[in-house]
Amino acid sequence: MEYYGAWIKDKRLNEIVLPGTHDSGAYNLTSRSKLAPDAEKIFYKLPGWFIAAWSKTQNLSILEQLKHGIRYLDFRVALNVENDKQYLCHAQYCDELFFCFNQILQFLEANKREIVLVDLNHFYAMTNVSHQALLTSIYDIFTDLLVPFNHETSSSWTIEDYWSHNKRIVFFYSYPDEFIPSIPSEHIQKLQYIWPQSEFTSPWPNTTDSSILKSRLLAISENQLSNKKHKPNQFFVYQCILTPSTQSVVWNSTFFKALKGVSSTNNEFLIKWFEDKEMDWSGLNIIILDYIDLPYGFYKRFFELCMQQNMKPTAKV
């Protein structure tokens, strides 16, 4: 953001294009990674190398993703009851959550003009006590950098406001409704730093085919432009990902590619679409992808296109 700050400082966060990753924490999974609570039952009958091949979604660590330009992180969180610690997960346990939090903090401390959005949207085996511990950790680790959720920050803050207040991390957190009554009074104030999931929309295309993905994304984008007239403050997540079904994984040729190969081919398809002069970027905000470093040279061109869009005047919807 710092490199093109002059073009974006008067825009709001939902008026610029932010590169993001899907299942951001699933970067170090191996055949030895233990199954997490979100794993499908069939996974317990499959070899570890096969599970890792389809559960791993990124090659880069959280810190590496941020250094490469990612500004939106998509986290699934699971409690490991064996050691009572919280981990990122995607069918298998990934790194411990607080290790990843510290990577984010390290990046923000080294880059004073960068803003990061963290979306905690799926929870597994978590109790109210676990959620309280998570909320406390967010507050303790990021206290001075947390963006509070209120009418002013959600409706009128520009990038310059985030910078001037040195509030540079936004946490979206889909905690269960029953969690609120159980919060001790001394923790209530911490909720002001949590942004509700209602503040953004993230439609799931749900397809295994890049061409179908494109047509569904176009429909989603058109619908988003219409919705933005009524909800101008919402963030919008554009899920540019393929979701292989169990059948396609086991029986089709994609078996031999694994998710890495599928994602690389899809990203190659997407970059050609993004480069098309007819591509309409209106209303696009957060774009998430699997394996952002594939194919070779993809992420560099993708971020260049995002920057080009951000340097344009804000379109009136």
Side-chain angles (χ1 to χ4, degrees):
M1 292 180 181
E2 182 174 7
Y3 295 112
Y4 50 99
W7 287 274
I8 66 170
K9 64 184 181 66
D10 296 322
K11 298 180 181 181
R12 293 184 297 156
L13 266 181
N14 71 341
E15 293 176 334
I16 64 174
V17 181
L18 296 170
T21 45
H22 171 244
D23 278 313
S24 311
Y27 57 82
N28 64 345
L29 300 179
T30 70
S31 60
R32 296 183 178 182
S33 299
K34 292 185 177 181
L35 289 177
D38 62 326
E40 296 185 23
K41 290 182 179 180
I42 193 174
F43 283 11
Y44 288 87
K45 300 179 181 180
L46 298 173
W49 65 265
F50 182 90
I51 299 169
W54 287 98
S55 298
K56 184 177 178 180
T57 58
Q58 308 295 335
N59 281 325
L60 307 179
S61 70
I62 299 302
L63 182 58
E64 290 170 332
Q65 290 176 39
L66 293 171
K67 287 181 176 180
H68 277 68
I70 294 300
R71 294 296 176 267
Y72 168 91
L73 299 169
D74 168 41
F75 285 172
R76 298 184 184 212
V77 182
L79 178 70
N80 187 334
V81 295
E82 293 181 3
N83 60 14
D84 201 35
K85 293 182 179 180
Q86 296 168 13
Y87 292 81
L88 296 181
C89 67
H90 187 220
Q92 295 172 296
Y93 287 113
C94 311
D95 271 336
E96 191 175 345
L97 177 60
F98 307 124
F99 171 73
C100 295
F101 278 175
N102 282 312
Q103 290 185 65
I104 300 171
L105 181 62
Q106 179 183 342
F107 175 79
L108 290 173
E109 289 180 335
N111 299 273
K112 304 298 184 182
R113 305 273 280 182
E114 298 301 329
I115 303 166
V116 175
L117 282 66
V118 180
D119 181 12
L120 304 168
N121 54 55
H122 287 79
F123 297 97
Y124 305 93
M126 295 279 283
T127 64
N128 284 342
V129 173
S130 304
H131 281 288
Q132 289 176 26
L134 175 52
L135 182 63
T136 298
S137 296
I138 291 172
Y139 184 80
D140 290 346
I141 293 171
F142 299 103
T143 305
D144 296 333
L145 295 171
L146 289 168
V147 181
F149 174 70
N150 54 51
H151 179 72
E152 181 183 7
T153 56
S154 64
S155 64
S156 63
W157 264 26
T158 63
I159 304 297
E160 183 65 46
D161 290 318
Y162 287 90
W163 289 340
S164 63
H165 290 85
N166 195 32
K167 301 297 183 182
R168 296 183 291 112
I169 185 164
V170 178
F171 268 95
F172 296 95
Y173 190 159
S174 61
Y175 47 75
D177 293 338
E178 61 269 21
F179 167 57
I180 301 299
S182 68
I183 301 180
S185 57
E186 63 268 24
H187 295 321
I188 291 294
Q189 64 166 344
K190 298 172 185 176
L191 285 177
Q192 68 177 304
Y193 297 104
I194 299 302
W195 289 53
Q197 293 287 323
S198 58
E199 287 302 299
F200 74 88
T201 182
S202 182
W204 178 34
N206 190 19
T207 180
T208 61
D209 183 272
S210 293
S211 296
I212 296 175
L213 174 66
K214 178 181 177 180
S215 64
R216 290 184 179 177
L217 288 174
L218 285 170
I220 287 171
S221 181
E222 184 177 343
N223 186 58
Q224 165 60 12
L225 282 173
S226 176
N227 289 342
K228 199 167 184 179
K229 295 177 182 178
H230 307 289
K231 299 179 180 179
N233 302 326
Q234 268 198 335
F235 290 87
F236 174 58
V237 179
Y238 207 54
Q239 295 194 29
C240 296
I241 58 171
L242 296 180
T243 308
S245 63
T246 302
Q247 182 178 3
S248 69
V249 169
V250 176
W251 299 109
N252 294 349
S253 60
T254 51
F255 171 89
F256 300 101
K257 283 188 172 184
L259 187 58
K260 178 183 288 188
V262 171
S263 299
S264 180
T265 302
N266 184 54
N267 288 349
E268 189 171 6
F269 174 89
L270 288 169
I271 202 66
K272 292 177 181 177
W273 177 33
F274 292 160
E275 290 177 325
D276 191 329
K277 292 182 179 179
E278 301 302 315
M279 168 70 174
D280 184 6
W281 291 72
S282 302
L284 295 194
N285 181 205
I286 299 164
I287 300 177
I288 65 171
L289 300 149
D290 286 326
Y291 284 101
I292 58 156
D293 59 322
L294 298 177
Y296 178 78
F298 166 80
Y299 78 86
K300 183 177 180 180
R301 182 58 183 143
F302 171 61
F303 294 134
E304 286 175 351
L305 291 170
C306 291
M307 277 199 287
Q308 289 173 16
Q309 296 304 313
N310 289 335
M311 293 168 70
K312 295 179 180 179
T314 302
K316 301 298 181 183
V317 180

